[in-house]
Amino acid sequence: MDSSLDLETQYCAHNYHPLPVVLARGEGVFVWDVAGKKYLDMMSAYSAVSHGHAHPRLVKAVQEQAARLTIVSRAFHSDTLGPFLARVCELTGQDMALPMNTGAEAVETAIKAARKWAYTVKGVAENQAEIIGCDGNFHGRTIAAVAMSDEPQYQQGFGPFPPGFLNVEYGNIDALAAAINPNTAAFIVEPIQGEGGIVIPPRGYLQDAARLCRENNVLLIVDEIQTGLGRTGKFLACDHEGVKPDGLILGKALGGGILPVSMFLARRDVMDVFTPGDHGSTFGGNPLAAAAGLEALEILVEEDLAANSAEMGDYLIERLRELDSPVIRDIRGKGLFVGVEIEPARTSARTVCEALMERGLLSKETHATVVRLAPPLVIGKAEIDWAVEQIRSVVDDVDQVPLAS
Ligand SMILES: *Cc1c(COP(=O)(O)O)cnc(C)c1O
């Protein structure tokens, strides 16, 4: 096999199980491996590459900024951070933002904001604040994010975990209502659970959650790290239900597929709980990240990537449904955030992904049964048609294998 794969296997921690492909170059919706084989990227780095690989405007913006000023830390101001945060607040309807780098850090920021808000504004007694999450959630891999998870593997061997977190059934508004109590600081929720298997809650769930939170003086914090920035066919997935959360978490595509850029956004009275020294990050909001983030936002708006996501997502789901294969148990999604659930009696999602890789289509399983299809939002019909034909061939091959009795 390729020597860089061997080196990675020897020297890189085995905290992932990558498909055996070694990529060397990317452009738009395509990537190439070290042997020059071309692949259609239907994963786009868990939605971080929504703009497509090496978007010329992003490359230019980052190159220019890299030559001018990259990192100053927040010990000083820079001439790029203000314009970036003003634009992201304008586009999301939030008042203020706290820039970080990775998604998990922005989630931590949201948790800290919610807790301090509970003590200083809501009047919860010291160390009693509770945060409600959902079964099947994914908010990252820090200890607090893992404390919120109900996935045994994410917790096994990593305890003890901080207290103050509880989960309710995702999509069940009565369960949320029953869990809220005077110590509840926030409800943190994904509009669609991505890592959970592209799970879409009942229509109106976010609206109902927003109303419940408002009535009980609880912050509604929406984790749109994966669903935001056009992925589901609207600028934010919250926009499908006209919900404006009290706090919003962005990441992944915010860095234009070039840099890690994340943030927690909130109403002014929530963000105001932070005073100098409360929280920070050496790299958060650096000039290079701000230049990438601002250009990423302008491209999203000017190329109307959310509209393309809506149109191409509908087209992809329609074409997938035509496959009508006994190997496929369910097809679900919104915009270009699509899950194909494989019939577990027939094969695993991993096996399907490996067969697709052989045919030049890159995707990744989430859990044992779901193949995630989340290509860059710049994808067109011809590429979707090609992708669906590859999926057809793979599920047809599986269907040839007789069912084990
Ligand atoms: C990816 C993801 C995170 C974590 O982001 P990282 O950048 O990997 O730390 C958190 N929440 C959601 C919904 C995500 O999809």
Side-chain angles (χ1 to χ4, degrees):
M1 259 279 54
D2 182 76
S3 68
S4 41
L5 192 153
D6 292 337
L7 288 172
E8 215 179 284
T9 304
Q10 184 176 352
Y11 290 106
C12 185
H14 294 175
N15 58 328
Y16 278 84
H17 182 32
L19 289 175
V21 56
V22 182
L23 300 174
R25 187 166 78 81
E27 194 182 315
V29 295
F30 298 108
V31 286
W32 286 262
D33 72 10
V34 284
K37 181 177 169 185
K38 183 181 180 182
Y39 299 83
L40 176 62
D41 182 0
M42 295 284 277
M43 239 289 283
S44 48
Y46 301 92
S47 300
V49 187
S50 284
H51 298 74
H53 294 272
H55 192 292
R57 279 181 60 182
L58 277 161
V59 171
K60 184 164 176 280
V62 168
Q63 279 174 341
E64 284 177 5
Q65 187 64 39
R68 192 163 73 78
L69 184 69
T70 49
I71 315 280
V72 293
S73 85
R74 298 269 318 276
F76 311 111
H77 298 278
S78 77
D79 61 359
T80 55
L81 182 57
F84 171 41
L85 299 187
R87 188 73 173 121
V88 73
C89 285
E90 179 189 16
L91 288 170
T92 58
Q94 297 292 333
D95 294 333
M96 297 178 88
L98 198 163
M100 299 296 279
N101 312 283
T102 66
E105 289 173 307
V107 169
E108 291 280 327
T109 305
I111 291 169
K112 287 173 80 173
R115 284 181 166 183
K116 195 166 181 200
W117 175 86
Y119 301 127
T120 60
V121 179
K122 183 167 175 172
V124 173
E126 176 88 3
N127 289 333
Q128 297 303 307
E130 289 178 8
I131 289 177
I132 302 175
C134 289
D135 293 340
N137 74 67
F138 182 82
H139 298 295
R141 303 298 201 146
T142 58
I143 290 289
V146 163
M148 294 186 70
S149 178
D150 64 339
E151 174 69 39
Q153 200 207 340
Y154 295 174
Q155 292 197 336
Q156 207 77 53
F158 300 119
F161 298 103
F165 298 102
L166 70 144
N167 280 353
V168 296
E169 188 191 349
Y170 186 57
N172 180 343
I173 200 68
D174 297 331
L176 175 62
I180 288 176
N181 68 63
N183 289 337
T184 308
F187 174 52
I188 301 188
V189 63
E190 299 155 85
I192 293 175
Q193 290 185 334
E195 301 314 296
I198 320 287
V199 182
I200 305 174
R203 187 188 300 271
Y205 178 58
L206 272 188
Q207 268 178 6
D208 290 343
R211 181 183 38 78
L212 260 183
C213 287
R214 201 164 46 242
E215 287 168 3
N216 290 282
N217 198 22
V218 166
L219 300 177
L220 172 68
I221 297 178
V222 178
D223 181 348
E224 292 237 31
I225 290 170
Q226 196 158 168
T227 55
L229 306 180
R231 176 52 57 189
T232 71
K234 298 265 189 200
F235 189 75
L236 298 176
C238 283
D239 296 341
H240 288 288
E241 295 194 7
V243 165
K244 188 165 121 183
D246 306 298
L248 172 69
I249 311 170
L250 295 178
K252 295 205 165 107
L254 191 56
I258 299 192
L259 288 168
V261 184
S262 72
M263 61 180 56
F264 172 62
L265 300 108
R267 286 201 319 253
R268 185 168 302 277
D269 63 298
V270 176
M271 201 64 88
D272 272 347
V273 303
F274 287 119
T275 59
D278 272 359
H279 189 54
S281 160
T282 303
F283 291 101
N286 68 73
L288 189 59
L294 181 58
E295 192 69 359
L297 290 172
E298 299 304 359
I299 291 167
L300 272 165
V301 172
E302 285 167 36
E303 296 188 2
D304 205 353
L305 294 184
N308 195 58
S309 175
E311 192 187 333
M312 290 303 125
D314 285 349
Y315 183 66
L316 172 61
I317 290 172
E318 181 192 311
R319 293 291 330 267
L320 287 169
R321 294 220 161 109
E322 285 167 18
L323 294 179
D324 196 24
S325 165
V327 175
I328 297 176
R329 177 189 265 189
D330 189 27
I331 293 156
R332 50 183 183 260
K334 229 178 205 171
L336 285 167
F337 201 37
V338 175
V340 176
E341 190 168 341
I342 303 299
E343 187 56 56
R346 305 303 297 265
T347 188
S348 69
R350 172 79 187 192
T351 306
V352 170
C353 289
E354 285 170 354
L356 289 171
M357 181 194 79
E358 294 297 330
R359 293 179 164 275
L361 194 163
L362 292 182
S363 178
K364 190 75 169 71
E365 77 278 6
T366 169
H367 293 280
T369 55
V370 180
V371 176
R372 171 207 315 257
L373 298 175
L377 305 184
V378 295
I379 197 167
K381 276 191 175 168
E383 289 124 12
I384 289 177
D385 287 339
W386 182 85
V388 171
E389 286 320 304
Q390 308 318 306
I391 295 166
R392 181 197 303 279
S393 300
V394 168
V395 295
D396 281 355
D397 286 351
V398 172
D399 201 22
Q400 297 307 307
V401 180
L403 267 175
S405 52

